[in-house]
Structures are given as structure tokens and as C-alpha cells.
Amino acid sequence: MNGCMKRTFVAGSAAVLLALSASSAFAQASAGEEGTFFIKGGTIVNPGGQRLANTNILIRNNRIVDIGPSVVAGEAKVIDATGKFVYPGMIDANTGLGLAEIGSVQTMSLRSELGDFNPHIRALVGINVESELLGVTRMSGVTSVVTSPAGGAISGQAAMINTAGWNWEDLSVMKDAGMVMTLPGSGGRGGRGGGGGGRGRGGATANPNLAADFQRFMEESKAYDDARTAGATKLDLIYEAMRPLFHREIPAIINANGEQDIRAAIAFGEKWNLRVVVQGGADSWKVRQLLADKKVPVILSSIEAAPGDSVPYDEIYAQPGLLYDAGVKFAFSTGQGSNSRHVAFHAALAEAYGLKAEGALKALTIWPAEIFGADKDIGTVEKGKLANLFITTGDPLDLRTQVSYVFIKGRDMPFDDRQTRLYLKYKGRPVTIKP
Amino acid sequence: MRIHTAAKSAGAVLLAMAIAGTGSLQAQDLAIRNATILTITRGDIQNGTILVQKGKITAVGANVTIPAGVKTIDGTGKFVMPGVIDAHSHAALENGINEGSESVTPEVQVQLRNDDPVIYRALAGGVTAALLLHGSANSIGGQARVIKMRWGMPADSMYFKGAYRIVKFALGENVTQASGTLPADQKRFPESRMGVEFVYRYWFQKAKEYDQEWIDYRAAVKTNPNVIMPRRDLRLEALCDMLHGDLKIHTHSYRADEILMLIRVADENGFKINTFQHVLEGYKVANEIAAHGAMASTFADMWAYKVEAYDASSYNMALMSERGIVVSVNSDSDERIRRLYQEAGVGVRYGNMPVNEALKMVTLNPAKQLGVDKMVGSLEPGKDGDIAVFSAHPFSPDAMVEYTIIDGKVYFDRFQAQTLRKVAGDSKGTGPGGAR
């Protein structure tokens, strides 16, 4: 019934939609249908350029257990993907999804904590799996996102999550994907005056002694880590949260847009021996060789932004292409939540302005997975990985393409998101008044 | 959507922008040959040629002879469509977009400045015309300007002659919260949707009375030259223009209840809503909007940024369009105006709109809403030579604007423009935006 509804949905038959809107659209739980699935005959498109035509995928217990032209369905429910394309689920590398719902309502957008130093704050535990934003996001093919805390100097721990799940534990891919921070004195775009069209993330705090406080906090955290490594047993939950950084188990996700801020972020990482991920990266094209040499990846802030008045009109759209050619690893992000689905459009703009198609797909899938160390679970359609994928009629970056199926953690996701529910309801309204 | 004007960095050194408008306003001759031409009204033409003479399209087709000496763009592999029209922008306006001091201010008009770099960046996204609206701080705001994006020209040379006179109305959160942070004794009515409805009833009642005063006066003065002329009131005069259909109403709106409310107030008071702007829940009252004869100009998929936008849907465009409403998709943003063609494509992704219907949402349909569809919005002989040339189909991921042409004159040329690749000294890229 579920699959039937989807195919009908894509075909757009009003009468059948109407008939189904009262039943199957609401009958499915938003965490998706569990089971063993056999995706038959699609063309698998993985980042890196491999295209596997007429290939079957067997999904069991959340994961892809087999792929190949001769894999058979057995008892599995068959999803016919003949003539269609199977892509790894897209990833939005910085969002407030699950933490923030309606931006203008304070109680519905709780993404930051009080104070300057919050390494102990964990985004994962504040995630509302019933967020309507998650539904709209996943049905576009964005199957994982990074949800990040914001504000302060050290904002807290970001989480890599799937965009569907029964609770935050179930939807977690990585509970601690990285530590979000903003170095003192940064926030603008070096020498340009202003935030480069509001593209800055995080931002300065009101603390006039922030630089000194930050230095002391790092020193104390390091001293604590050294003591713990040497055998000390007394716990301090705040400093304890910093330890994975010093052990390079998680990256420091440093908000930096201006050229000098990006250089400072890289230097900070070297000073404290941290893995650095630059987040924002408005001027990263200016230091692309340095980023490539140091192997520092970039989470680009939304490229749906207006450039400054003194830079080329296409700076924001063309930057990803320059980064790709220079060998910099990067990912797209929306920074917010309601239109996380726009990462595909970001990639399309970047492709139009010079990013190779293979780079666009990498930056939507495997690269964000690698940047956060989640590539053993997500980022490609491969045997052994979580079955996070979507089936389309064509290139997901092309606006004429339709999404036919979405699988998250091996679950067949129903088109029951807020916008589709309302669509079905009002598409079914009789036309009692003819224009 | 905006209540307050974003600060513009006036006087910025626009080194990145090749000023196209160094010549005159004079209409020019131009041809584009061997391109895929998306005419909007007459189908798509493969390997077609479009000829513009003295600023007007004189021929579109597969077999068009280009007269000797006409500047010709080789359109091989390119897609040619009508210039994009943005039915909702606040770019290029001087000193604020809101006269929000009172609830009713239709006597004021927005003021154009010709040096806003957004005009250039919009051109780089294929935009050739835009409706520059008053903000949404009050129930009845000020009058708008329709412009062609003639970058480099004096402000008064940018006005789109023959366009509608348009006034902005506003409903919902922006109006009711415009004075929300002020002390109670400084707040202004209305503060609720109930109050907004009364503002319209009250002022259109006054306008009808004022109109009648003048009708009575003009009748009486024919027989009695000494009859006293009514006191002229520019505010009520503007409202009378709305009653008479001379000043078209574009109204900021979100929720279905307020959309229906304004339709009923309009019906009861004898005026028409030309276009519902934003109209995020228009899909819920599409029958009623269609019956009123109103058009709709919406966001592609902006939602959930405030409570009244929670039921916004990317399917809105398709649903309203299917019920016969003339739908456009607008920017209301200095960012989205750069890629409105992409916004139109969202209507295909969500709701499966036919591609040509989606393209209409940034061409012919906004032209209708601005009252310029006899001049622009499709590629056919007799219309203005307002054209966007893309590197690929505008909904494809390889789509980039290469030329934007107004009245046959090239106002944006990707190959002459300052680009990042040029600034970065990197011409190795092999993508569509690479070495070129």
C-alpha cells in the first residue's frame, strides 16, 4: 500500500491521491516501515563516478547486505527501481534540525546555551524526532544531517543524525560528531567590515576578556586531560568533554569566514594538536592551497547568500569549484533546518558555476560522512553501510527530477511529511467554484 | 516579508561590476542563433533564431534570416528564455521601504535609487524587470515602482512605462506586530487580524463617501458654479483609485483566513485584489482566490520561519496553478533574486508542474501581475527584446546565465563580467563556469 501510494503520488493522479489520503498517508508511522527490502534493477550512482546499471540491492536489519546484478529477492519486499536511479542519501553538514522548529518563536528554537564555554552541551539529547522540519527534509532525499549547537565561544557537541527515527537514540549516527567553537576576535570577514552578508555562524560573545578566558580554558582543559591520561580519576564534566578533541577522536568545528579567521583556525588546530574543520568558509577560496596542504576540510555555509559589494558577483557560487580543483574536501550546509533540502540546489548552483558533477555529489554525500568520521555507516550505497538512500527519476540536482522512494536506516519512509499531508488534503478539495 | 530596510552599503566600490549602461537607453538590434528557444507561449524551438530590431522582437523561429550587420550571439547549446521578472522585490529603494507610522499610507511611493548592486546581480540571474514594493508594516502601505533593470541608467530611465500603478497591502504578523515592542501608549491599531479587517472596512467606507462627495460635486458644479469643492485628500484619492481599478492592489498575506477575509471585504466594498503576495496558504483557499479573479505571487518553498509560515508548502505553486490561478514565484530577497529561475523549478520538483507552466511563474505570469504582459513575458514578435540566455536548461544543474538583454541591449555579459575564476587567477576549471 505504501509503495503503491508513492508511485501514484509521483504520477500525480488526483483521484487516487484523494482516495489514499485518508488511509495510507496517515497509516504509516514517520519512523518508516521496517523490513527486508529488495530494490530491483535501478542504476546506482555513487560519488566517485561509479554507476552500476541494472543492479539489485538487498536491505536487512537497517543495512545494505548485498548489492549486485544477480542478487535475488528471496522473502524481501520488492521495490521496482527499473529505469530509476539510486543515490546515497544527501547530508546537510550544519543545521539546527530537531533543536529549532519555528525561528521566530523563542521556545521553539533552543539551539544555544548560556555562557561562553559549553563543551559539555550535547545537541543529540535535545532533538525532537517529531519535528515537522525533519519530515520535509527527509522526503527530499536528505537522509542525514549534522545538528549543531550555536552561540558562545565553545558552543557544544554536534551530532550526526538520520532524519528519521523513533527517538534521538535511534536516529543518532554519531552522538559526538564534533565540537563547535568560534575563536575570539573572529566572526567577520577579515578586512571587509561586516559579516559578509550575514554568512557568519556562531559569533562573538559579549565577554570583553574572551581571548584571555579562552586561552585559560584551553590550558586548563589540556592540563586536565594530561592528568586524566596519567591516571587521575576525579571527574569534571566540563573538561572531560574536551578530552576527545585532544585525542583527535572528534574534530573542532571552528566557525571562520574571513581569510584571517580561517588561518587562525588552522593555526589553533596546530597549536593544540586538534583535527580542525572550518565551518562557514566564506573566504576559503583565498586559502585553498593551505587548506588542501593541511588537509583541513570546510563546511560551507549556505551558498544561498548575497556576496559583498566589492567581490565578483559569482564568488559564492563559484567557490566550491575552486576548492574542488585545489583538492580541498568540503561539504554543503544550510545552517538552519526548514530548507535543509536546499543542499541539492546549493550543489546545482556550484556545478553550474564550475564544480565538476562528481564533486557536487561527493560534497553532498561521502565527504561530509568522511569529515565527521561517519563514512563507515553512510555516504555511499555500499554493502555493509546503513541503507540510507533515495530513488529518483534522474539527477537529484535537476529540478525536474522526482523523488520516488526514501530509505533511512533500511526503513521505507512514507510521504507523510507536513507539506505532503497538506498537499494531499487540499488537492482533494472539490473545485466547487470554477474560475 | 521585510518590515525594515536592510542597510545598503552605499558608495561601495563596485569594482566587480562591468557597468553595462555606459551607452544610451537607445533600443538596439541583436540576434541569437542556433539556440533552444523557450518562447513560453509558442512552445520550445530547437536550433532556433531570435531577432530583435530597434529593441523589439521581430522574429522567432527555426528559419529566421539575420540581416547583415546585426550583432549576433552564437546560441549553440544554449537556452534562451524571456527575461526573468520578479514580482516582489525591495531592492534599489532609497531610505527605507516602509512608511509605517500610520496604518494607512497609500499616498506615499517608494523611491528608486539606480546604484544598488543588487540590480547588477539580479541581471546576472537573468532578471530584466521587477516590482519594487513598499514593505509590510501597515495594512495599507505605499505605492510601488515597476522597473526594468537598466543598470547604469538614471533612475527615471529605469521605470517600466505602461506598467500598472500598484499599492501594497499587508495582513498578519508583520502588520499586527509592527509596533509590538513599543510601550502600550505608543502602539498603533491594529494589533490583531480582527483589527486588520476593520481597518479595511473603515477606510473603504470613508473612500466611498469621499468618492460620492466628488461625484455629487461634479454633478452640482455643472449647474451651480459656486458650489464648494470638497477638500482634496490624497490618501482617500488613492483609495478611490483602488475602488476604480486604477491603482492595483498587491497584498502581503500568509494564512488562509486572512486571504479569505480580504476577498470578502473587497467583494463587499466593490474593489478587486490584483495579486496576493506570499499567499503561503493560498492553496487552502485557491477556489476563492480564483473566483475573485486574483492572481498569486508566492515563495517557492520558504516556510517555518514564523508561526504564520508553518503551513507554507512547496506544493502551493502547483495547487494554485491547477485551479486556474495565475501564479508567479518571487524573491522578496536580494539573494533569491539572483536565482529565481531555480525557485520556479521547485514547482516541478514538488507537485510535478509542467516545465513550461513553471517557467511561466518567472516570466509571463509576473508580467500579468505587473500589467506588462503585452510587452514582456514571452518571446514573440512585437514584444520587447528582454531576454535571458542560459548555458543549459534553466532547471538543470548546469544552468548559468550568460547574457541578459533588455530592449535588445546586452546589460549582462558573463564573458565580460568580473568572475571569481578571473580574480582567483584560475582558469583550469572544466565545468560550465570554469575557464570561460
Side-chain angles (χ1 to χ4, degrees), chain B residues 48 64 73 107 142 144 165 170 175 180 186 217 219 251-252 318 320 339 375 380 382-383 401 409 414 431:
Chain B
V64 173
I73 294 171
E107 66 276 18
R165 289 174 64 215
V175 182
Q186 292 174 33
Y217 164 73
T251 184
H252 168 113
M320 291 195 295
R339 48 176 190 84
M375 293 171 272
E380 45 190 309
K383 285 199 169 182
V401 173
K409 178 174 169 181
R414 164 80 180 170

mmCIF file of all heavy atoms in Angstrom, chain B residues 48 64 73 107 142 144 165 170 175 180 186 217 219 251-252 318 320 339 375 380 382-383 401 409 414 431:
data_model
loop_
_atom_site.group_PDB
_atom_site.id
_atom_site.type_symbol
_atom_site.label_atom_id
_atom_site.label_comp_id
_atom_site.label_asym_id
_atom_site.label_seq_id
_atom_site.Cartn_x
_atom_site.Cartn_y
_atom_site.Cartn_z
ATOM 1 N N GLY B 48 16.858 27.330 -32.938
ATOM 2 C CA GLY B 48 16.091 28.496 -33.359
ATOM 3 C C GLY B 48 16.903 29.782 -33.346
ATOM 4 O O GLY B 48 18.004 29.851 -32.804
ATOM 5 N N VAL B 64 14.934 31.866 -39.520
ATOM 6 C CA VAL B 64 14.924 33.327 -39.470
ATOM 7 C C VAL B 64 16.212 33.827 -40.104
ATOM 8 O O VAL B 64 17.295 33.363 -39.773
ATOM 9 C CB VAL B 64 14.826 33.840 -38.017
ATOM 10 C CG1 VAL B 64 14.991 35.343 -37.960
ATOM 11 C CG2 VAL B 64 13.503 33.400 -37.393
ATOM 12 N N ILE B 73 24.722 36.588 -31.354
ATOM 13 C CA ILE B 73 25.272 35.675 -30.355
ATOM 14 C C ILE B 73 25.064 34.258 -30.849
ATOM 15 O O ILE B 73 23.952 33.890 -31.246
ATOM 16 C CB ILE B 73 24.572 35.870 -28.992
ATOM 17 C CG1 ILE B 73 24.898 37.258 -28.414
ATOM 18 C CG2 ILE B 73 24.956 34.762 -28.016
ATOM 19 C CD1 ILE B 73 24.091 37.625 -27.181
ATOM 20 N N GLU B 107 -0.758 57.129 0.008
ATOM 21 C CA GLU B 107 -0.382 58.348 -0.710
ATOM 22 C C GLU B 107 1.125 58.447 -0.940
ATOM 23 O O GLU B 107 1.578 59.279 -1.721
ATOM 24 C CB GLU B 107 -0.873 59.592 0.061
ATOM 25 C CG GLU B 107 -0.225 59.828 1.428
ATOM 26 C CD GLU B 107 -0.845 59.045 2.581
ATOM 27 O OE1 GLU B 107 -1.561 58.061 2.311
ATOM 28 O OE2 GLU B 107 -0.613 59.412 3.751
ATOM 29 N N GLY B 142 2.379 51.889 0.936
ATOM 30 C CA GLY B 142 2.572 52.865 -0.126
ATOM 31 C C GLY B 142 2.589 52.243 -1.509
ATOM 32 O O GLY B 142 2.414 51.038 -1.677
ATOM 33 N N ALA B 144 4.166 51.329 -5.306
ATOM 34 C CA ALA B 144 5.359 50.622 -5.756
ATOM 35 C C ALA B 144 5.929 51.257 -7.018
ATOM 36 O O ALA B 144 5.387 52.229 -7.544
ATOM 37 C CB ALA B 144 5.009 49.164 -6.014
ATOM 38 N N ARG B 165 -0.011 50.910 -11.986
ATOM 39 C CA ARG B 165 0.249 51.557 -10.698
ATOM 40 C C ARG B 165 -0.163 50.534 -9.637
ATOM 41 O O ARG B 165 -1.256 49.968 -9.698
ATOM 42 C CB ARG B 165 -0.604 52.803 -10.529
ATOM 43 C CG ARG B 165 -0.210 53.984 -11.403
ATOM 44 C CD ARG B 165 -1.225 55.101 -11.233
ATOM 45 N NE ARG B 165 -1.237 55.615 -9.861
ATOM 46 C CZ ARG B 165 -2.347 56.039 -9.228
ATOM 47 N NH1 ARG B 165 -3.518 55.998 -9.827
ATOM 48 N NH2 ARG B 165 -2.273 56.502 -8.008
ATOM 49 N N ALA B 170 -1.011 44.812 3.516
ATOM 50 C CA ALA B 170 -0.350 43.761 4.292
ATOM 51 C C ALA B 170 -1.285 43.241 5.390
ATOM 52 O O ALA B 170 -2.013 44.001 6.020
ATOM 53 C CB ALA B 170 0.949 44.264 4.902
ATOM 54 N N VAL B 175 1.998 43.266 10.212
ATOM 55 C CA VAL B 175 1.164 44.432 10.498
ATOM 56 C C VAL B 175 0.836 44.508 11.980
ATOM 57 O O VAL B 175 0.934 45.568 12.611
ATOM 58 C CB VAL B 175 -0.165 44.324 9.717
ATOM 59 C CG1 VAL B 175 -1.020 45.542 9.968
ATOM 60 C CG2 VAL B 175 0.095 44.117 8.264
ATOM 61 N N GLY B 180 4.861 46.292 18.060
ATOM 62 C CA GLY B 180 4.789 45.369 19.190
ATOM 63 C C GLY B 180 5.750 45.637 20.323
ATOM 64 O O GLY B 180 5.446 45.360 21.477
ATOM 65 N N GLN B 186 2.127 53.941 22.896
ATOM 66 C CA GLN B 186 2.667 54.327 21.583
ATOM 67 C C GLN B 186 2.317 53.329 20.488
ATOM 68 O O GLN B 186 2.679 53.519 19.333
ATOM 69 C CB GLN B 186 4.197 54.455 21.665
ATOM 70 C CG GLN B 186 4.646 55.629 22.523
ATOM 71 C CD GLN B 186 6.152 55.631 22.702
ATOM 72 O OE1 GLN B 186 6.905 55.223 21.832
ATOM 73 N NE2 GLN B 186 6.599 56.105 23.858
ATOM 74 N N TYR B 217 -20.292 66.628 -6.294
ATOM 75 C CA TYR B 217 -19.765 67.956 -6.609
ATOM 76 C C TYR B 217 -19.704 68.173 -8.118
ATOM 77 O O TYR B 217 -20.126 69.208 -8.636
ATOM 78 C CB TYR B 217 -18.368 68.128 -5.999
ATOM 79 C CG TYR B 217 -17.606 69.297 -6.579
ATOM 80 C CD1 TYR B 217 -17.959 70.617 -6.239
ATOM 81 C CD2 TYR B 217 -16.574 69.093 -7.490
ATOM 82 C CE1 TYR B 217 -17.281 71.690 -6.793
ATOM 83 C CE2 TYR B 217 -15.889 70.158 -8.041
ATOM 84 C CZ TYR B 217 -16.239 71.456 -7.702
ATOM 85 O OH TYR B 217 -15.570 72.513 -8.252
ATOM 86 N N ALA B 219 -21.381 66.800 -10.395
ATOM 87 C CA ALA B 219 -22.724 66.938 -10.951
ATOM 88 C C ALA B 219 -23.277 68.330 -10.642
ATOM 89 O O ALA B 219 -23.831 69.003 -11.514
ATOM 90 C CB ALA B 219 -23.630 65.845 -10.393
ATOM 91 N N THR B 251 -1.285 42.410 -2.162
ATOM 92 C CA THR B 251 -1.347 42.327 -0.706
ATOM 93 C C THR B 251 -0.484 41.208 -0.141
ATOM 94 O O THR B 251 -0.571 40.056 -0.562
ATOM 95 C CB THR B 251 -2.798 42.169 -0.211
ATOM 96 O OG1 THR B 251 -2.793 42.189 1.218
ATOM 97 C CG2 THR B 251 -3.416 40.868 -0.685
ATOM 98 N N HIS B 252 0.372 41.604 0.776
ATOM 99 C CA HIS B 252 1.139 40.653 1.598
ATOM 100 C C HIS B 252 0.137 39.811 2.384
ATOM 101 O O HIS B 252 -0.760 40.369 3.015
ATOM 102 C CB HIS B 252 2.037 41.488 2.513
ATOM 103 C CG HIS B 252 2.718 40.779 3.623
ATOM 104 N ND1 HIS B 252 4.089 40.626 3.669
ATOM 105 C CD2 HIS B 252 2.244 40.237 4.762
ATOM 106 C CE1 HIS B 252 4.426 40.004 4.788
ATOM 107 N NE2 HIS B 252 3.335 39.747 5.470
ATOM 108 N N ALA B 318 1.935 24.605 -7.380
ATOM 109 C CA ALA B 318 1.242 23.637 -8.236
ATOM 110 C C ALA B 318 -0.253 23.622 -7.939
ATOM 111 O O ALA B 318 -1.075 23.637 -8.852
ATOM 112 C CB ALA B 318 1.844 22.249 -8.031
ATOM 113 N N MET B 320 -2.225 25.942 -6.588
ATOM 114 C CA MET B 320 -2.941 27.152 -7.028
ATOM 115 C C MET B 320 -3.033 27.188 -8.544
ATOM 116 O O MET B 320 -4.068 27.540 -9.119
ATOM 117 C CB MET B 320 -2.235 28.402 -6.498
ATOM 118 C CG MET B 320 -2.335 28.565 -4.989
ATOM 119 S SD MET B 320 -1.896 30.231 -4.401
ATOM 120 C CE MET B 320 -0.164 30.320 -4.827
ATOM 121 N N ARG B 339 18.606 33.955 -8.386
ATOM 122 C CA ARG B 339 18.401 32.584 -8.892
ATOM 123 C C ARG B 339 16.913 32.246 -8.894
ATOM 124 O O ARG B 339 16.518 31.152 -8.509
ATOM 125 C CB ARG B 339 19.177 31.571 -8.038
ATOM 126 C CG ARG B 339 18.961 31.763 -6.554
ATOM 127 C CD ARG B 339 19.626 30.727 -5.685
ATOM 128 N NE ARG B 339 19.151 30.893 -4.311
ATOM 129 C CZ ARG B 339 18.033 30.373 -3.829
ATOM 130 N NH1 ARG B 339 17.272 29.614 -4.586
ATOM 131 N NH2 ARG B 339 17.666 30.610 -2.596
ATOM 132 N N MET B 375 3.897 43.494 -23.295
ATOM 133 C CA MET B 375 5.240 43.940 -23.705
ATOM 134 C C MET B 375 6.329 42.902 -23.454
ATOM 135 O O MET B 375 7.284 42.813 -24.221
ATOM 136 C CB MET B 375 5.596 45.237 -22.966
ATOM 137 C CG MET B 375 4.723 46.411 -23.383
ATOM 138 S SD MET B 375 4.950 47.868 -22.334
ATOM 139 C CE MET B 375 3.761 47.565 -21.036
ATOM 140 N N GLU B 380 7.911 36.536 -28.480
ATOM 141 C CA GLU B 380 7.106 36.541 -29.696
ATOM 142 C C GLU B 380 7.215 37.911 -30.350
ATOM 143 O O GLU B 380 7.475 38.908 -29.674
ATOM 144 C CB GLU B 380 5.647 36.180 -29.390
ATOM 145 C CG GLU B 380 5.042 36.861 -28.189
ATOM 146 C CD GLU B 380 3.675 36.270 -27.819
ATOM 147 O OE1 GLU B 380 2.836 36.169 -28.714
ATOM 148 O OE2 GLU B 380 3.476 35.918 -26.650
ATOM 149 N N GLY B 382 6.895 41.468 -31.716
ATOM 150 C CA GLY B 382 6.151 42.611 -31.198
ATOM 151 C C GLY B 382 6.465 42.927 -29.751
ATOM 152 O O GLY B 382 6.251 44.045 -29.294
ATOM 153 N N LYS B 383 6.963 41.927 -29.036
ATOM 154 C CA LYS B 383 7.292 42.177 -27.633
ATOM 155 C C LYS B 383 8.700 42.764 -27.496
ATOM 156 O O LYS B 383 9.503 42.730 -28.430
ATOM 157 C CB LYS B 383 7.169 40.884 -26.822
ATOM 158 C CG LYS B 383 5.710 40.490 -26.558
ATOM 159 C CD LYS B 383 5.574 39.512 -25.410
ATOM 160 C CE LYS B 383 4.105 39.344 -25.001
ATOM 161 N NZ LYS B 383 3.956 38.450 -23.857
ATOM 162 N N VAL B 401 23.393 31.920 -16.133
ATOM 163 C CA VAL B 401 23.032 32.976 -17.078
ATOM 164 C C VAL B 401 24.301 33.511 -17.734
ATOM 165 O O VAL B 401 25.277 33.834 -17.049
ATOM 166 C CB VAL B 401 22.274 34.107 -16.371
ATOM 167 C CG1 VAL B 401 22.054 35.288 -17.315
ATOM 168 C CG2 VAL B 401 20.947 33.588 -15.842
ATOM 169 N N LYS B 409 19.479 45.339 -25.846
ATOM 170 C CA LYS B 409 20.803 45.775 -25.393
ATOM 171 C C LYS B 409 21.327 44.808 -24.339
ATOM 172 O O LYS B 409 20.604 44.445 -23.410
ATOM 173 C CB LYS B 409 20.681 47.185 -24.821
ATOM 174 C CG LYS B 409 21.968 47.755 -24.277
ATOM 175 C CD LYS B 409 21.735 49.200 -23.879
ATOM 176 C CE LYS B 409 22.923 49.726 -23.091
ATOM 177 N NZ LYS B 409 22.715 51.115 -22.679
ATOM 178 N N ARG B 414 28.342 37.476 -19.213
ATOM 179 C CA ARG B 414 29.182 36.641 -18.351
ATOM 180 C C ARG B 414 30.648 36.669 -18.791
ATOM 181 O O ARG B 414 31.555 36.604 -17.977
ATOM 182 C CB ARG B 414 28.625 35.212 -18.399
ATOM 183 C CG ARG B 414 29.545 34.113 -17.892
ATOM 184 C CD ARG B 414 29.563 34.006 -16.383
ATOM 185 N NE ARG B 414 30.462 32.929 -15.949
ATOM 186 C CZ ARG B 414 30.827 32.717 -14.701
ATOM 187 N NH1 ARG B 414 30.356 33.493 -13.738
ATOM 188 N NH2 ARG B 414 31.622 31.731 -14.381
ATOM 189 N N GLY B 431 34.367 22.821 -15.633
ATOM 190 C CA GLY B 431 32.909 22.861 -15.554
ATOM 191 C C GLY B 431 32.389 24.002 -16.403
ATOM 192 O O GLY B 431 33.167 24.741 -17.005
#
